[in-house]
Amino acid sequence: FTESDPLFSASVAQNITASNVSNWNTAYGWGNHATAGYLTSEVDGSVTNELQTLSYSDHVLSLTNGGEVIFPVTVEDVVILSDSLYVSFTNGQTLNAGYVGPNTPGSTLPSVSTTTVNAISYRGAMASGEVGTTGNELVVARGFVYATTPMPTLSNAHVLAGGGLGTFSGELTGLLPNTLYYARAFATNTLGTSYGSALSFTTLALTTPSLTTTVVSNISHTTAQGGGNITNDGGSALTARGICWSTSTAPTIANAHTSEGTETGSFVSLMTGLSPATKYYVRAYATNTQGTKYGNEVSFTTNTLALASITTTAVSAISFTTATSGGNVTADNGSPVTSRGICWATTTAPTTANFNVSQAGGLGTFSLQMTGLAPAIKYYVRAFAVNGAGTVYGNEYSFTTTALTAPVLTTKAITGISSNIAGSGGTITSDGGSNITAKGVVWGINPTPTLANSFTNDGTGPASYNSTMNGLNPLTTYYVRAYATNSLGTTYGNQLSFTTTDLVNPGPTVPTIGTLNGAMTSTTTASSGGYISQDGGSAIIARGVCWSTAQNPTLADSHSEDGSGVGYFTSTVTDLSGCGTVYYIRAYATNSTGTGYGNQVTVSTGLVGTVITADITEISYYTATAGGNVTDDGNCPVTQKGVCWSVSPNPTTGNWKTQEGAGSGAFVSSMTELLANKTYYVRAYVSNSVGTTYGEEKVFTTATPSTPYIGQNYAGGIIFYLDETGEHGLVCAPSDQGSFVWGCAGTNIPGTSTAFGTGAANTAAIVVNCSQDNIAARVCDNLSLNGYSDWYLPSYEELNLIFLNLYSNGLGGDFNSYYWSSSQFDSSNAYYRRPSEGYRQWKGYNFRVRAVRAF
């Protein structure tokens, strides 16, 4: 235990060891004190308490000999390091107290006095005190205690102010307004705590705020700036502040007012919506929990409005129906110009009650166009401007619109001259003040042509235009003039002339020919032909078609000869063979120059087969026997044959059908799963590589049983399902109940199923868990139809049977729409069905509803 404290530098215990401590009072030989131990004299008469252990818990510093010191609650920890006492406070402060003495006799509590309590506010105050003596012990804490009862202690509210001797001060916080308090200074040393005398004081009582009103400034016609200064909030937070004004004295917040936050100090407010030339009274206001307080009253008068200043711009761009003028707003005279424009009339001093056009307001020059004027009329125009004082007019100008004239135009140069056509046109430089109703060119073989000669009609309006002269004769001189017509008549442009060219014919060529599409007419022949549009300059001496299994056949291949001359002709392609063999066909024509060929077409050998439908026999409730006879395979092997039937005429293999295999000849087919008392249409069919063909149609009606059957009107509806007994099943209503939402989108309906036989239970679960009106399930549940009231919304599988057994057989009406089932998919969606599909959809859609019941 090597000591470093300077106090022990001269001590005989300077080099204490652990064994020394264990044998402190044992006499043994060591140094100069071999017979007396380490101590040469005693202070307190005991040799067993010279070394003590400190422990600190719950603000109590304890020694092993039973001594203790109670510290304030603000002391967090007390430790001794190298004979120095360290006191740690809850506010983070650590005090090094120096050497810890041995409680020298005569140590006392410190002396402390409470000097003043001042700076008293609504919720706080400042206290001062002084530690006069330390009591010969370390002063580890000092401060103030305060309460509403006399003689407060550290168990009451307190504030720390450091440690040691001298004066100190502290702020008392968290006080209540208008309340009597007692405060005492305290000081704590290692022996305990002593208190000064108690001083009493009373916090300030809450009041309304203190404030003044600012003089009004920046006064205009409709606005002004005011404000105020809140010097005291009265002890409670402000809830509102601003200014209020009225044309009467003593305005309050019941009058017009502003709201400018909740802070103290000065503020500025803008008053708007004021009337010109009016006196107003203004007061600042502030509100806290004690009420609203008003500042001193000030008054002001808003400015008087004046009309704006404006001049009129001279009229320009005068035409038949329009002219341009404007103005210059040189000053708004204190009130913003909200609109400006020009007004005109055929009498002097026009106003905005006459014709006018306007734009947004503002200062400066502007220009506007007058429209809808009449030609050759004198008008008067003035500029105007509008501000808060009213409408002001500028100086007046007069002008006369241009008088109407005939159009003015020129004839465009002649272009594109040929034997029978040429081009020209016109450029209109003036419409004469009236709409152009017709324009074009006129031409003839004599000078100065008019509309009495040939002419074009190239529209209306003043735009330039191009014209085409058709039907001209070769080597002929023509005279051309452009023309234009308005309300005053027709005028013509300058005259031009031109001479058409001679006819230009091509040199000798082979004929021009097209090939007619081919079509098989028998198993070995096909039809085709062609059209000769030009003979190439010499007579057609031969024509026809040529064909081959190789592309681009010529006269070197098989060909027909089908006369001469231009125009249409037909041909027969012969000696074809095979099934599916592709032949290429081209028409040809020959003149003295040579042979020309047309475009290439193709035919594929083989025809569809021929089949006869047999009569229907052995007709019962649900079955019948049919058949047919394939009399011709079309030169291509039969790949399938049978009969097809439907509840509608002209059945195809896309309907119900049998498949009786390949090959020609007679066959018999059994039709099963028919419906009782139902009319069917039947045709035999035969298919080969070319396609499918059908025999004549046979019609029959199945027998009517005495027991219930699918499609029968029974038990209030139409039977769409029968159980194995044939006496019980399900019917659907004869027609829809309308379109309704499924209901309660976003709500889960527990326990619904898609299975057959669950529709009734699903409906009950929906009705009890969804209170929404006019939903699909509730409509069915409430339905009373044909004497029955036990209808319900079908499950998904029950709805499928309606489509399978009724819709597919043309029964039960038009089901070609979306229908709700009673089967929920999730909280937002439910299952639906329509002819082409069935899936889920949002419960909020309107779908069709068809109720069902069991019998």
Side-chain angles (χ1 to χ4, degrees), residues 75-421:
V75 174
E76 185 176 76
D77 197 13
V78 177
V79 296
I80 290 180
L81 295 175
S82 301
D83 300 320
S84 294
L85 180 68
Y86 291 87
V87 181
S88 299
F89 295 89
T90 56
N91 65 357
Q93 178 186 5
T94 300
L95 179 66
N96 180 1
Y99 170 67
V100 180
N103 284 339
T104 304
S107 295
T108 65
L109 293 175
S111 65
V112 62
S113 60
T114 310
T115 56
T116 62
V117 175
N118 55 23
I120 301 167
S121 66
Y122 302 99
R123 293 179 174 81
M126 291 295 297
S128 300
E130 182 178 6
V131 177
T133 62
T134 64
N136 205 31
E137 292 290 334
L138 172 67
V139 175
V140 296
R142 65 187 184 183
F144 301 93
V145 293
Y146 52 97
T148 56
T149 56
M151 309 304 290
T153 67
L154 282 169
S155 61
N156 299 112
H158 56 275
V159 58
L160 292 176
L165 283 169
T167 60
F168 59 95
S169 62
E171 184 179 6
L172 313 184
T173 61
L175 309 182
L176 298 175
N178 195 29
T179 302
L180 176 63
Y181 282 91
Y182 300 87
R184 292 200 293 174
F186 76 88
T188 302
N189 65 8
T190 54
L191 293 182
T193 299
S194 58
Y195 297 92
S197 57
L199 298 181
S200 65
F201 64 95
T202 300
T203 53
L204 299 180
L206 296 178
T207 65
T208 55
S210 299
L211 73 162
T212 58
T213 305
T214 304
V215 175
V216 177
S217 61
N218 296 327
I219 302 168
S220 72
H221 307 89
T222 57
T223 64
Q225 181 176 296
N229 184 21
I230 302 172
T231 56
N232 192 318
D233 64 5
S236 57
L238 297 181
T239 58
R241 71 176 185 178
I243 60 174
C244 50
W245 66 92
S246 173
T247 56
S248 301
T249 58
T252 68
I253 55 176
N255 302 115
H257 64 280
T258 64
S259 181
E260 304 294 347
T262 58
E263 299 81 16
T264 58
S266 61
F267 62 90
V268 175
S269 285
L270 180 66
M271 293 174 279
T272 60
L274 307 179
S275 299
T278 302
K279 184 174 183 179
Y280 286 91
Y281 300 88
V282 184
R283 293 197 296 178
Y285 76 90
T287 303
N288 64 9
T289 56
Q290 303 302 305
T292 298
K293 183 71 172 294
Y294 296 93
N296 55 298
E297 182 177 273
V298 297
S299 64
F300 70 98
T301 300
T302 51
N303 295 339
T304 301
L305 290 178
L307 293 172
S309 299
I310 188 170
T311 59
T312 306
T313 304
V315 181
S316 62
I318 302 169
S319 71
F320 306 99
T321 58
T322 63
T324 299
S325 182
N328 183 14
V329 181
T330 57
D332 62 10
N333 295 324
S335 177
V337 174
T338 57
S339 67
R340 61 187 185 178
I342 55 176
C343 53
W344 65 92
T346 56
T347 56
T348 60
T351 68
T352 54
N354 301 115
F355 297 107
N356 68 87
V357 60
S358 63
Q359 61 178 208
L363 298 176
T365 61
F366 62 93
S367 179
L368 294 167
Q369 186 181 53
M370 294 172 277
T371 60
L373 308 179
I377 298 296
K378 185 175 183 179
Y379 287 91
Y380 301 86
V381 62
R382 293 196 296 177
F384 70 87
V386 179
N387 68 1
T391 302
V392 64
Y393 296 93
N395 52 303
E396 181 178 275
Y397 283 99
S398 64
F399 66 97
T400 300
T401 51
T402 305
L404 293 179
T405 63
V408 178
L409 73 163
T410 59
T411 306
K412 287 186 176 181
I414 310 300
T415 60
I417 302 170
S418 68
S419 62
N420 63 346
I421 193 171

Side-chain angles (χ1 to χ4, degrees), residues 56 67 143 182 226 277 298 353 378 469 493 638 649 658 663 742 757 796 818 825 827:
Y56 188 71
Y182 300 87
V298 297
K378 185 175 183 179
M469 295 173 280
V638 173
T658 65
W742 201 92
Y796 183 70
Y818 293 82
F825 177 80
S827 61

Side-chain angles (χ1 to χ4, degrees), residues 537-833:
S538 60
I540 303 297
I541 58 178
R543 66 185 186 183
V545 295
C546 50
W547 63 93
S548 172
T549 56
Q551 294 198 44
N552 300 315
T554 67
L555 288 173
D557 299 302
S558 299
H559 61 276
S560 67
E561 295 180 358
D562 300 301
S564 61
V566 296
Y568 291 96
F569 65 91
T570 59
S571 304
T572 300
V573 182
T574 60
D575 298 324
L576 306 181
S577 63
C579 174
T581 301
V582 176
Y583 283 87
Y584 300 91
I585 305 171
R586 289 199 298 175
Y588 75 89
T590 303
N591 64 7
S592 60
T593 302
T595 299
Y597 294 94
N599 55 300
Q600 180 173 273
V601 299
T602 62
V603 294
S604 179
T605 58
L607 299 173
V608 294
T610 302
V611 65
I612 299 172
T613 307
D615 290 335
I616 312 301
T617 62
E618 300 179 17
I619 300 170
S620 68
Y621 304 130
Y622 308 114
T623 62
T625 299
N629 185 13
V630 179
T631 59
D632 187 353
D633 64 4
N635 209 37
C636 291
V638 173
T639 57
Q640 191 59 265
K641 62 181 179 289
V643 297
C644 53
W645 67 94
S646 173
V647 295
S648 300
N650 301 314
T652 68
T653 53
N655 301 115
W656 296 293
K657 66 179 182 292
T658 65
Q659 293 180 320
E660 307 298 346
S664 300
F667 61 90
V668 176
S669 296
S670 295
M671 295 180 289
T672 60
E673 297 183 0
L674 306 178
L675 295 182
N677 191 29
K678 185 66 178 174
T679 298
Y680 289 92
Y681 300 84
V682 184
R683 290 196 296 178
Y685 73 91
V686 59
S687 299
N688 62 12
S689 59
V690 179
T692 299
T693 187
Y694 299 91
E696 69 273 28
E697 184 174 80
K698 302 289 185 178
V699 182
F700 74 98
T701 301
T702 52
T704 302
S706 59
T707 57
Y709 55 88
I710 300 295
Q712 182 183 12
N713 288 319
Y714 186 77
I718 304 171
I719 298 175
F720 68 90
Y721 165 75
L722 287 169
D723 65 12
E724 62 276 3
T725 68
E727 297 179 355
H728 300 285
L730 299 177
V731 300
C732 68
S735 60
D736 296 344
Q737 276 60 66
S739 294
F740 303 94
V741 297
W742 201 92
C744 289
T747 300
N748 182 52
I749 307 299
T752 69
S753 170
T754 60
F756 179 83
T758 61
N762 290 349
T763 301
I766 296 168
V767 170
V768 74
N769 287 287
C770 178
S771 60
Q772 186 176 343
D773 291 334
N774 292 323
I775 60 173
R778 180 166 281 106
V779 167
C780 294
D781 185 65
N782 291 337
L783 181 62
S784 179
L785 180 65
N786 296 330
Y788 297 95
S789 58
D790 56 348
W791 300 91
Y792 57 88
L793 187 64
S795 70
Y796 183 70
E797 291 302 331
E798 291 165 349
L799 188 58
N800 281 341
L801 279 182
I802 295 176
F803 279 88
L804 177 64
N805 291 336
L806 296 185
Y807 171 78
S808 61
N809 286 290
L811 298 171
D814 181 13
F815 280 94
N816 193 21
S817 185
Y818 293 82
Y819 283 81
W820 279 127
S821 77
S822 59
S823 304
Q824 176 185 269
F825 177 80
D826 56 26
S827 61
S828 297
N829 300 276
Y831 287 98
Y832 72 90
R833 186 72 165 84

